[in-house]
Amino acid sequence: MATATADAVASEGRGLYRALAWRRILIILGFTIALALSFTIDIAWGPARYAVGDVIAAIFAPASVTDQVRVVVWDIRMPMALMAIITGAALSLAGAQMQTILANPLASPFTLGISAAASFGAALAIVMGVSIVPFATNFMVPLNAFVMALIATLVIHFISQARGVTVQTVILLGIALVFTFNALLAFLQYLASEQALQSVVFWTMGSLTKATWEKIWITLAVLVFAIPMFARHAWALTAIRLGEDKAASFGVNVRAIRLESMLIVALLAAVPVSFVGTIGFVGLVGPHVARMLVGEDQRFFLPTSILAGALLLSATSVVSKSILPGVVFPIGIITALVGVPFFFSLILSNVRRSW
Amino acid sequence: MVTIALDDIGAYYGRRLTVTGVTTPRFSSGEIVAVIGPNAAGKSTLFKRMAGLLPGPGTVQVEGSGKGKRAISYMPQDTSANAVLTVYESILLARKQGTGWSVSNGDLVLIDGVMQAIDIVDIAFRNLGELSGGQRQLVSIAQTLVREPDILLMDEPTSALDLHRQMEVLAFMQQVARDRGMIVFIAIHDLNQAMRFADKAIVIEHGSLKGVGPTNEVITAQLLRDVYRIDARIEPCSRGHLQIIVDSVAGPGARSSSTVARAA
């Protein structure tokens, strides 16, 4: 009798776990549907008003609509809408893994200066025509951005490994990096020609209007490379959140996974920044939304972070076209306006609750 | 039958060799081995070296286990990481390390069984951040057991537990060792508990071996004076359990005189 009751209690555990896992799968499904909706609205919405039917026709049967509709949908709106999704996904994934690896809730490419470093690298190419990587003139801008982002990432990585370094120290280091690279960027702006200056300024605001199919494919390739790299370490990355000793006791090679993850983070943060400019806070907010909804089991946290970031930037893209009729605001301005209050609330809640 | 022996083991912590020359006789399945010594004696370092988490000279000789690297599992002292994970997920995580994403019914049955044995079913779906220190220790034990090691190295598993839970956990580990044929090493400060539950004891001080053998032969008044610098008697209680009765803290000269005696 007692055994039967005990068995019932024990089997309740796996039943509840399965229910929990299904709930998370449904959340992921919900995000996917919301993202599809947001993407559709993003394409249908813009300064030129077309009937939804025309837009859908332009997507599925381009020959059936006028040249103007086809060009607007395929050459302007579609690249912007896709770039919003891919950039949001990449930045949110980068933020999620930075927060995991550094055990730091305030970590993201933007807050720790990696985006600023990438901006400086890209500006170096735009303003000075300097390529950090020799013989790579065709991809000078993204490669410069990546190399600078990599340097910033490695600085953060190695300093965060040192003894006695706290979560707060790493944040302060991040702020120092932001200031440093912004100062270097200002220096380049001062030297820049009028034309180069304009493109640098426009690009520090972060804008999807520069999106092209080529940039989309490159960013997508980075994302497609990064996701399986993290996915195959899903259990190990989750274990790292239990502490280095605990993860090591589970057989996780913590050092190797940390370094590998940070290198991929640098790539994920640098490439979108080099194409669409600085877009802040997506990498911070996306992972937090995911964590609140599905916890930190990476099998759920990873896809949810990606989808949350993609949805966030896609929805922001719609908002950026809706504030003033006929005007598309740089998306970086909108994410900053939404992100800063969120950042504050994280800092304040973090004072009360240890991470 | 699984056995383990340490042969001239040393361990590097950073560049420093903090544990040296630890050699033990062979321990076998079903035995509980207490690892005792003052704070910072090198007990955790020795465990990490045994588990292959720290480099160092010497060999850890394991025989009779077909599990390779997974034969030895180290359970670190509690860390207060607040990952957003339920207790159930954190135990599943320990089980699934190094495997694919899918979770089989067998995995979940094993987890349910271990959680029930440790009596933590009621906190299965609480977040780790909501647990007390004692509950965290129990979750750590569950995480280690679902990995099904042959040799378990527990770093102060009872330090955050109340007396009832301490007795419960140690008795449970004794049972697990006997039933599953595991060898359980427990770093522990409570020497009365060590004498009660451990078959053998290893004494570590300043990173080197100070004694090894059957617990009652190793923990002696002389050892307490030499290693812990206390004057104490070890006497059986009315029910026959050996107990340490501390008379006084030995003076500063106590240690040096015994060291001189050893040197001589």
Side-chain angles (χ1 to χ4, degrees):
Chain A
M1 180 69 186
T3 318
T5 317
D7 283 351
V9 170
S11 66
E12 200 183 326
R14 50 186 177 275
L16 288 170
Y17 175 73
R18 293 226 182 267
L20 186 73
W22 273 111
R23 196 157 66 234
R24 289 172 178 176
I25 290 170
L26 285 177
I27 288 171
I28 292 172
L29 209 64
F31 264 108
T32 312
I33 294 167
L35 182 61
L37 272 175
S38 173
F39 176 66
T40 311
I41 296 169
D42 200 8
I43 291 178
W45 194 255
R49 299 289 161 91
Y50 302 121
V52 177
D54 282 351
V55 173
I56 292 171
I59 295 169
F60 294 104
S64 67
V65 293
T66 63
D67 280 355
Q68 194 204 1
V69 176
R70 193 169 59 241
V71 167
V72 167
V73 168
W74 278 97
D75 295 345
I76 300 172
R77 291 188 189 174
M78 187 77 93
M80 278 177 69
L82 279 175
M83 200 64 184
I85 287 177
I86 297 167
T87 301
L91 292 177
S92 187
L93 178 58
Q97 299 309 9
M98 285 182 83
Q99 289 167 16
T100 300
I101 295 296
L102 300 171
N104 192 327
L106 301 177
S108 80
F110 187 68
T111 47
L112 292 191
I114 294 173
S115 296
S119 298
F120 169 69
L124 211 53
I126 295 171
V127 176
M128 312 285 281
V130 173
S131 175
I132 301 174
V133 183
F135 314 115
T137 40
N138 280 348
F139 294 101
M140 192 159 64
V141 177
L143 277 176
N144 272 9
F146 173 63
V147 171
M148 293 314 295
L150 190 65
I151 291 169
T153 308
L154 291 177
V155 166
I156 291 165
H157 173 73
F158 286 111
I159 290 185
S160 68
Q161 302 274 295
R163 281 190 185 196
V165 171
T166 63
V167 166
Q168 286 79 6
T169 319
V170 174
I171 293 296
L172 290 175
L173 173 69
I175 292 170
L177 286 177
V178 170
F179 282 143
T180 307
F181 286 111
N182 281 348
L184 289 169
L185 190 65
F187 182 69
L188 285 182
Q189 285 174 338
Y190 186 74
L191 296 178
S193 68
E194 202 166 312
Q195 196 188 356
L197 179 67
Q198 199 180 7
S199 79
V200 170
V201 167
F202 187 66
W203 171 78
T204 51
M205 290 178 188
S207 171
L208 295 168
T209 52
K210 291 278 166 76
T212 63
W213 285 103
E214 189 191 27
K215 291 173 182 174
I216 287 171
W217 289 125
I218 294 172
T219 318
L220 186 64
V222 168
L223 197 59
V224 167
F225 163 75
I227 292 171
M229 296 294 276
F230 288 128
R232 73 194 175 100
H233 292 313
W235 293 113
L237 284 163
T238 316
I240 285 174
R241 285 290 292 117
L242 298 178
E244 194 169 333
D245 264 5
K246 184 60 81 65
S249 78
F250 291 168
V252 175
N253 188 343
V254 179
R255 270 170 180 266
I257 289 184
R258 273 207 174 128
L259 187 61
E260 184 186 317
S261 300
M262 288 300 269
L263 293 179
I264 303 172
V265 160
L267 195 60
L268 280 171
V271 172
V273 166
S274 70
F275 291 145
V276 297
T278 316
I279 296 179
F281 297 106
V282 177
L284 186 75
V285 180
H288 278 282
V289 171
R291 192 177 287 110
M292 275 188 276
L293 291 172
V294 301
E296 288 188 272
D297 178 340
Q298 290 264 340
R299 292 174 307 149
F300 304 109
F301 180 55
L302 187 85
T304 313
S305 293
I306 292 170
L307 288 167
L311 178 61
L312 202 66
L313 209 55
S314 179
T316 312
S317 168
V318 174
V319 171
S320 73
K321 289 190 273 190
S322 314
I323 297 171
L324 275 181
V327 178
V328 181
F329 273 89
I331 199 164
I333 295 176
I334 318 280
T335 59
L337 288 175
V338 178
V340 170
F342 187 85
F343 190 61
F344 269 124
S345 74
L346 273 180
I347 292 170
L348 294 175
S349 69
N350 214 46
V351 172
R352 279 177 250 119
R353 178 175 57 89
S354 65
W355 169 260
Chain B
M1 167 77 88
V2 177
T3 64
I4 181 171
L6 306 183
D7 182 15
D8 205 14
I9 286 288
Y12 285 102
Y13 198 84
R15 285 184 185 171
R16 227 156 51 88
L17 193 63
T18 55
V19 168
T20 50
V22 177
T23 299
T24 69
R26 207 154 265 285
F27 302 107
S28 333
S29 291
E31 283 187 321
I32 300 270
V33 183
V35 178
I36 58 175
N39 288 331
K43 301 186 292 290
S44 300
T45 309
L46 176 67
F47 275 179
K48 286 183 184 172
R49 169 67 184 87
M50 286 169 73
L53 302 177
L54 286 179
T59 49
V60 179
Q61 299 167 344
V62 177
E63 284 176 11
S65 167
K67 294 181 180 166
K69 275 188 173 177
R70 290 186 73 131
I72 303 182
S73 186
Y74 168 60
M75 185 188 124
Q77 287 180 44
D78 180 52
T79 51
S80 51
N82 285 338
V84 186
L85 290 169
T86 63
V87 167
Y88 203 97
E89 287 174 299
S90 77
I91 298 170
L92 177 68
L93 180 63
R95 170 78 188 161
K96 295 298 296 177
Q97 249 357 283
T99 68
W101 276 33
S102 68
V103 174
S104 73
N105 200 46
D107 291 325
L108 299 182
V109 168
L110 179 83
I111 290 164
D112 281 337
V114 167
M115 291 189 77
Q116 205 186 350
I118 306 180
D119 195 16
I120 52 170
V121 173
D122 56 326
I123 56 166
F125 291 95
R126 282 222 215 131
N127 271 338
L128 292 179
E130 300 166 21
L131 304 184
S132 68
Q135 288 169 326
R136 280 170 183 277
Q137 291 278 28
L138 296 173
V139 172
S140 276
I141 293 172
Q143 285 169 338
T144 314
L145 287 181
V146 293
R147 293 178 59 74
E148 300 184 308
D150 288 324
I151 296 152
L152 181 49
L153 314 174
M154 306 178 88
D155 205 345
E156 299 188 23
T158 52
S159 57
L161 302 183
D162 62 47
L163 193 55
H164 177 86
R165 282 292 203 185
Q166 282 182 34
M167 298 297 286
E168 208 171 51
V169 163
L170 290 170
F172 175 72
M173 292 319 299
Q174 202 174 35
Q175 187 72 32
V176 168
R178 309 276 192 262
D179 291 351
R180 303 187 185 191
M182 279 166 56
I183 307 170
V184 181
F185 291 77
I186 301 179
I188 192 165
H189 279 301
D190 187 329
L191 301 182
N192 282 320
Q193 303 278 39
M195 286 197 293
R196 185 159 182 158
F197 290 100
D199 305 290
K200 305 273 174 64
I202 296 175
V203 188
I204 302 287
E205 192 195 16
H206 298 312
S208 22
L209 187 73
K210 283 286 175 289
V212 57
T215 314
N216 294 346
E217 291 174 23
V218 170
I219 301 179
T220 59
Q222 183 65 43
L223 176 102
L224 296 174
R225 193 172 175 79
D226 284 353
V227 174
Y228 290 94
R229 290 198 281 164
I230 53 166
D231 287 321
R233 289 164 285 146
I234 299 174
E235 292 174 1
C237 71
S238 59
R239 293 195 175 178
H241 295 301
L242 288 174
Q243 295 289 322
I244 295 172
I245 300 155
V246 178
D247 292 318
S248 63
V249 174
R255 185 184 176 76
S256 53
S257 66
S258 67
T259 311
V260 169
R262 266 205 309 279

